[in-house]
Amino acid sequence: MSAVPPQLQRLAHRIGNAAGLAPDALASEVKAALHDATAEAGWLPPERRRADHQRYARHLLYGDPDGRFSILSLVWDHGQESPIHGHHTWCAVGVYDGVLTEIQFREDAAGRAPVEISSERRVAGSLSFDPPLTSIHRFANRSGALAISLHVYGVAADRVASGVNRIFA
Ligand SMILES: [Fe+2]
């Protein structure tokens, strides 16, 4: 793997400084850091922008040594989408390249099948922050071209696979 890009070092450093803040301050600091990271194109190394033709690719960019957060790049080939899911942890997303669609859901009255409530096009530079156990959503690439997003989750790197998503479908 190539050397850690300074843009990623800055992003990790700023989120590390914000990790102990109250939720509102954490949200604005993480979004500000993602804003700067997504405003600058081209720094993501080639091996971290590689698509997987079977499903959307998840590449670990940084794991906080104290286990407070992890940063990933997700690479979406045309037509790929995530499952419908919520998060057990806080989660921030910045679109780095291309255009994604984010579809929001709510649980039905029985708390089972999620019901679609909105759909939003998210272009490069768009940002979001979800506190734990708030939104239920899916990201999809319906753009016809590759798309890449940066995701920050409030868990250690070794818990990203099992400790973040609450899957509905
Ligand atoms: Fe998510």
Side-chain angles (χ1 to χ4, degrees):
M1 185 183 159
S2 36
V4 178
Q7 292 87 347
L8 178 57
Q9 290 180 27
R10 274 200 295 276
L11 178 64
H13 183 73
R14 289 175 69 178
I15 297 172
N17 283 343
L21 297 176
D24 285 357
L26 172 68
S28 65
E29 284 295 312
V30 172
K31 284 171 80 171
L34 273 176
H35 170 270
D36 291 353
T38 56
E40 202 177 329
W43 58 265
L44 199 60
E47 70 274 12
R48 296 294 182 259
R49 52 169 72 235
R50 194 169 291 143
D52 176 337
H53 298 298
Q54 302 299 315
R55 67 188 302 256
Y56 68 101
R58 290 154 61 99
H59 303 289
L60 180 67
L61 299 178
Y62 181 85
D64 174 46
D66 296 327
R68 298 168 299 172
F69 65 95
S70 303
I71 307 173
L72 286 82
S73 59
L74 271 57
V75 184
W76 310 82
D77 214 346
H78 172 61
Q80 292 181 332
E81 62 182 20
S82 74
I84 300 170
H85 65 279
H87 305 118
H88 297 294
T89 176
W90 61 264
C91 167
V93 180
V95 180
Y96 176 82
D97 193 16
V99 181
L100 286 168
T101 300
E102 181 179 10
I103 305 114
Q104 296 277 359
F105 298 81
R106 61 171 171 79
E107 291 186 67
D108 71 0
R112 292 190 299 267
V115 178
E116 184 173 330
I117 51 174
S118 67
S119 171
E120 183 187 358
R121 252 171 66 89
R122 297 199 39 188
V123 300
S126 91
L127 307 167
S128 62
F129 183 98
D130 294 328
L133 299 172
T134 51
S135 70
I136 301 170
H137 67 173
R138 147 182 282 163
F139 279 95
N141 180 359
R142 298 171 177 170
S143 71
L146 200 78
I148 303 175
S149 46
L150 302 180
H151 295 239
V152 188
Y153 301 110
V155 296
D158 63 359
R159 292 192 54 228
V160 162
S162 62
V164 172
N165 282 352
R166 173 179 172 227
I167 306 286
F168 289 85

